[in-house]
């Protein structure tokens, strides 16, 4: 009976959710120090630059953080997301600071466009036997 109980406890424990945190968003106290008109250098000194490559563009810096739930055999699910967008004008000064959450986003389905190939599934012997009628011994031996 103890073995059955132990097995059941292990099975239920394997289905328990685990959580992973990814990314970085500056704390509210640091964000409160940013002002419209601050320079890029000021933003970098106060909250730092975005850590991920591709998250820094000339017109805006994006700071993202999200929390994932992994549970057993199910696909991982994003349960929390926070994005801070610091926009800059042409002079490189802060023009806007926005915050977005999971409720502000939407799921975008990416479609893979795959080109079908003209290569047929032919076995080795199929390829070997299909060439018997095509060989011209006169041309092959004249070289």
């Amino acid at each position: 009976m103890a073995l059955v109980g132990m097995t059941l406890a292990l099975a239920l424990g394997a289905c328990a959710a685990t959580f992973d945190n990814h990314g970085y968003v500056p704390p509210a106290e640091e964000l409160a120090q940013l002002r419209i008109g601050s320079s890029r250098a000021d933003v970098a000194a106060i909250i730092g630059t975005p850590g991920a490559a591709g998250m820094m563009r000339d017109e805006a810096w994006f700071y993202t953080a999200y929390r994932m739930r992994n549970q057993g055999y199910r696909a991982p699910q994003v349960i929390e997301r926070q994005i801070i967008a610091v926009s800059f004008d042409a002079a490189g000064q802060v023009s806007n600071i926005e915050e977005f959450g999971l409720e502000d986003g939407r799921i975008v389905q990416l479609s893979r466009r795959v080109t079908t190939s003209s290569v047929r599934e032919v076995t080795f012997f199929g390829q070997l036997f299909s060439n018997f009628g095509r060989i011209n011994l006169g041309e092959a031996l004249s070289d």
Side-chain angles (χ1 to χ4, degrees), residues 89-103:
D89 60 15
Q93 295 181 333
V94 174
S95 62
N96 197 7
I97 302 168
E98 297 176 282
E99 182 175 354
F100 303 100
L102 187 60
E103 63 279 357

Side-chain angles (χ1 to χ4, degrees), residues 49 51 75 115 130 134:
T49 57
T115 305
S130 68
R134 296 185 193 168

Side-chain angles (χ1 to χ4, degrees), residues 22-25 48-57 60-66:
H22 301 276
Y24 170 75
V25 169
T49 57
M55 296 304 287
M56 220 162 46
R57 301 185 322 200
W61 287 358
F62 298 96
Y63 301 84
T64 62
Y66 59 96

Side-chain angles (χ1 to χ4, degrees), residues 38-90:
S38 298
S39 69
R40 271 182 231 263
D42 293 339
V43 173
I46 295 170
I47 63 174
T49 57
M55 296 304 287
M56 220 162 46
R57 301 185 322 200
D58 287 339
E59 63 270 1
W61 287 358
F62 298 96
Y63 301 84
T64 62
Y66 59 96
R67 183 172 172 91
M68 306 266 311
R69 176 176 52 213
N70 300 300
Q71 190 169 17
Y73 59 88
R74 296 182 181 154
Q77 179 183 16
V78 177
I79 57 172
E80 293 176 27
R81 178 179 15 212
Q82 185 180 13
I83 300 172
I84 302 294
V86 180
S87 302
F88 299 98
D89 60 15

Side-chain angles (χ1 to χ4, degrees), residues 127-141:
Q127 290 177 0
L128 183 66
F129 293 130
S130 68
N131 287 325
F132 276 124
R134 296 185 193 168
I135 298 174
N136 184 342
L137 288 179
E139 291 178 8
L141 295 176

